Amino acid sequence: MTAPRLRGRAGQRQRDRRLKRSNYLCDDCAADGITRLATIVDHIIPLSKGGPDTDENTRNLCDAHNRKRTAEQFGHQIRHAVGVDGWPLS
């Protein structure tokens, strides 16, 4: 049996501790030599696929890399924002 996920303030302290490991920077951006703020603690093996809620199973990601990794893990396509003229925004 796995340990239950932490909720409330204990969960916030755990998230903060995990983000401090990388000085609040995105792990994927750092690997590319880019400095970008990490806002999400992502599970390498998703909890929904049986991954453990341990520090070793987490990485710190920015929003863009989190969307990319989630799409890869669950077989989704990444949606790009489109302007009112129908052209991609970025």
Side-chain angles (χ1 to χ4, degrees):
M1 183 172 150
T2 61
R5 293 189 66 191
L6 295 176
R7 305 280 184 206
R9 290 186 187 197
Q12 291 172 349
R13 283 191 299 272
Q14 180 186 57
R15 178 181 182 275
D16 190 54
R17 180 178 46 77
R18 288 175 174 174
L19 285 169
K20 280 182 185 177
R21 288 184 316 200
S22 66
N23 293 320
Y24 298 92
L25 299 177
C26 175
D27 293 331
D28 285 2
C29 288
D32 295 335
I34 301 169
T35 302
R36 187 172 293 146
L37 185 65
T39 55
I40 297 162
V41 177
D42 178 59
H43 287 85
I44 298 166
I45 301 170
L47 298 175
S48 63
K49 292 189 174 187
D53 190 21
T54 61
D55 289 352
E56 296 78 26
N57 188 41
T58 61
R59 59 185 162 213
N60 301 323
L61 300 176
C62 63
D63 291 333
H65 278 117
N66 182 59
R67 283 192 302 275
K68 178 184 174 197
R69 293 292 189 139
T70 300
E72 291 170 354
Q73 291 169 334
F74 293 99
H76 301 157
Q77 290 186 353
I78 298 174
R79 292 187 149 198
H80 299 281
V82 178
V84 293
D85 58 0
W87 288 90
L89 292 176
S90 47

